[in-house]
Amino acid sequence: MATMQASPRSQIISISDLQWQDRQPGVRQKSVWAHPATNRRAVIARIEPGAQLPRHRHVGDELVFVIEGAIADESGAVTAGNMGYRPDGCVHAVSSKNGATVLAIITGGIEPTTEIGSAPASQIFALSELPWVETRPGVRQKRIWEDKANERRAILARFEPGATLPPHRHVGDELIFLIEGANADESGVVTTGNMNYRPNGCVHSVTTKNGATVLAVVWGRTEPV
């Protein structure tokens, strides 16, 4: 218990408490989280029907989860419940025919451009096509994306009612989004549509009373305590 008290606590992010900001006509966003030292940030963006993001280049990379609706670029459409990945150097334009709400986890920035050239294409992950892997009793995962060289990954995790993750320490950090249900740790309860940030060194345990499905973006690893 002393170890938990001395470690940095996780931070609950209530999305409804954040203000929408206009980014461009037809596109609003909420700034959810930022880590300026590593040029990382997370935003919730709302793209109105017919709105477009003009062609741009990613200087760094981006993971995007579609919460509702669908978005499209030169690689195809990413629909609700699925993910896209924009690698460093990717050049594309983004549109939404009927509107969309997305969560974007961004490293680096973007710059305007008009030429695609030999830039790497974005990637689409259909989560329903990925297998579930049992990681412990009551907890299953789908491994969506991984950057082994930099110890980064994105996973979908399903917690059955009453499942727990025993106390562990984050060596690196983690950002989670509650797709459905709720889970809790020593900082409180994270409910559907909200987020939780676990900073480097955070020690906590995770529980769920009625079950939960979460998207987790992880930098680093965890170790038992």
Side-chain angles (χ1 to χ4, degrees):
M1 183 63 68
T3 301
M4 288 190 185
Q5 291 175 343
S7 71
R9 298 175 68 91
S10 71
Q11 302 164 26
I12 297 172
I13 304 168
S14 177
I15 302 300
S16 63
D17 292 341
L18 304 176
Q19 298 298 312
W20 287 108
Q21 298 174 329
D22 290 329
R23 174 176 172 178
Q24 65 173 63
V27 180
R28 296 176 295 158
Q29 67 181 34
K30 293 185 175 190
S31 297
V32 176
W33 168 83
H35 194 276
T38 54
N39 204 13
R40 293 177 294 156
R41 65 190 189 280
V43 301
I44 297 279
R46 175 62 193 172
I47 305 170
E48 299 300 329
Q52 294 186 337
L53 296 177
R55 186 161 290 153
H56 55 275
R57 176 182 292 106
H58 285 265
V59 183
D61 58 3
E62 177 182 4
L63 282 162
V64 59
F65 176 74
V66 178
I67 300 169
E68 61 179 1
I71 58 175
D73 70 358
E74 292 80 357
S75 293
V78 186
T79 53
N82 294 308
M83 290 194 74
Y85 174 62
R86 293 81 154 89
D88 184 25
C90 173
V91 174
H92 68 160
V94 178
S95 62
S96 180
K97 181 179 179 181
N98 298 311
T101 303
V102 306
L103 167 65
I105 312 294
I106 304 161
T107 301
I110 61 172
E111 58 186 18
T113 188
T114 58
E115 299 294 330
I116 294 179
S118 58
S122 65
Q123 302 170 29
I124 298 170
F125 303 110
L127 302 196
S128 64
E129 297 176 1
L130 301 176
W132 286 108
V133 177
E134 186 171 0
T135 56
R136 60 176 291 105
V139 182
R140 295 175 294 158
Q141 292 183 356
K142 292 189 176 194
R143 296 166 184 170
I144 304 168
W145 169 85
E146 187 172 16
D147 172 12
K148 291 183 178 180
N150 295 296
E151 283 195 298
R152 301 186 298 161
R153 63 191 184 278
I155 60 174
L156 184 72
R158 175 62 193 171
F159 294 77
E160 299 302 326
T164 64
L165 294 179
H168 56 276
R169 176 182 292 106
H170 286 266
V171 183
D173 52 2
E174 178 181 19
L175 197 61
I176 71 161
F177 175 73
L178 262 291
I179 296 172
E180 63 177 0
N183 68 16
D185 71 357
E186 291 75 11
S187 292
V189 178
V190 187
T191 54
T192 301
N194 293 309
M195 299 185 71
N196 191 224
Y197 173 62
R198 290 83 185 264
N200 183 35
C202 173
V203 175
H204 69 158
S205 55
V206 179
T207 62
T208 179
K209 181 179 179 181
N210 298 311
T213 302
V214 307
L215 173 69
V217 177
V218 184
W219 296 267
R221 57 186 172 83
T222 62
E223 59 185 18
V225 297

